[in-house]
């Protein structure tokens, strides 16, 4: 079993920056990809960025060039560096991870951290 604990959310002005952190504990060796989703009020949860255990990254089009995802396997932590923030980036950001055991896939979610960007 894996637990994910997020930190780093807050209130910033448009154009500012935030760095989110997600620390994993439990059965760490079983984790494959990790990443971040977000959910704005009234909207569905959407993928922001993901990263493999080998460091290969993938980004949603609306954050390319502004956000950077990274992973420190020694610290069991994934980060999301957010720059040039816009009001439309406001929402709850959730860390996720998944693991595979034989043919079974297990998905894990953090509690979420609020990011608010003022105009």
């Amino acid at each position: 079993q894996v637990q994910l604990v997020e930190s780093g959310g807050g209130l910033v002005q448009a154009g500012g920056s935030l760095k989110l952190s997600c620390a994993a504990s439990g059965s760490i060796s079983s984790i494959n990809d990790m990443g971040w989703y977000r959910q704005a009020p009234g909207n569905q949860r959407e993928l922001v960025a993901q990263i493999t255990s080998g460091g290969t990254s993938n980004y949603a089009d609306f954050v390319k060039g502004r956000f950077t995802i990274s992973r420190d396997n020694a610290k069991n932590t994934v980060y999301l560096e957010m720059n040039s923030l816009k009001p439309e980036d406001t929402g709850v950001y959730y860390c996720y991870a998944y693991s595979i055991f034989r043919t079974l896939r297990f998905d894990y979610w953090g509690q979420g951290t609020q990011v608010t960007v003022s105009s």
Side-chain angles (χ1 to χ4, degrees):
Q1 196 166 308
V2 174
Q3 291 183 322
L4 304 174
V5 180
E6 298 151 312
S7 62
L11 174 64
V12 297
Q13 293 182 336
S17 299
L18 282 174
K19 187 175 183 178
L20 307 182
S21 299
C22 174
S25 62
S27 186
I28 305 302
S29 62
S30 68
I31 295 176
N32 294 105
D33 293 1
M34 298 185 71
W36 296 89
Y37 281 71
R38 73 184 186 188
Q39 187 168 19
N43 293 347
Q44 292 185 289
R45 190 173 298 185
E46 60 186 353
L47 177 68
V48 176
Q50 60 188 4
I51 186 168
T52 69
S53 60
T56 301
S57 302
N58 182 57
Y59 298 92
D61 288 340
F62 53 81
V63 302
K64 286 182 178 178
R66 299 189 296 123
F67 292 9
T68 302
I69 189 170
S70 60
R71 183 171 180 171
D72 188 335
N73 290 328
K75 296 181 179 179
N76 303 315
T77 302
V78 65
Y79 306 93
L80 185 67
E81 179 72 35
M82 303 184 293
N83 300 308
S84 301
L85 283 162
K86 305 174 181 179
E88 51 263 44
D89 294 318
T90 294
V92 179
Y93 284 68
Y94 297 90
C95 179
Y96 88 91
Y98 80 85
S99 62
I100 297 177
F101 180 74
R102 295 188 177 182
T103 61
L104 299 178
R105 171 168 170 155
F106 301 88
D107 294 280
Y108 306 95
W109 294 91
Q111 79 283 0
T113 184
Q114 178 70 42
V115 172
T116 303
V117 184
S118 64
S119 59

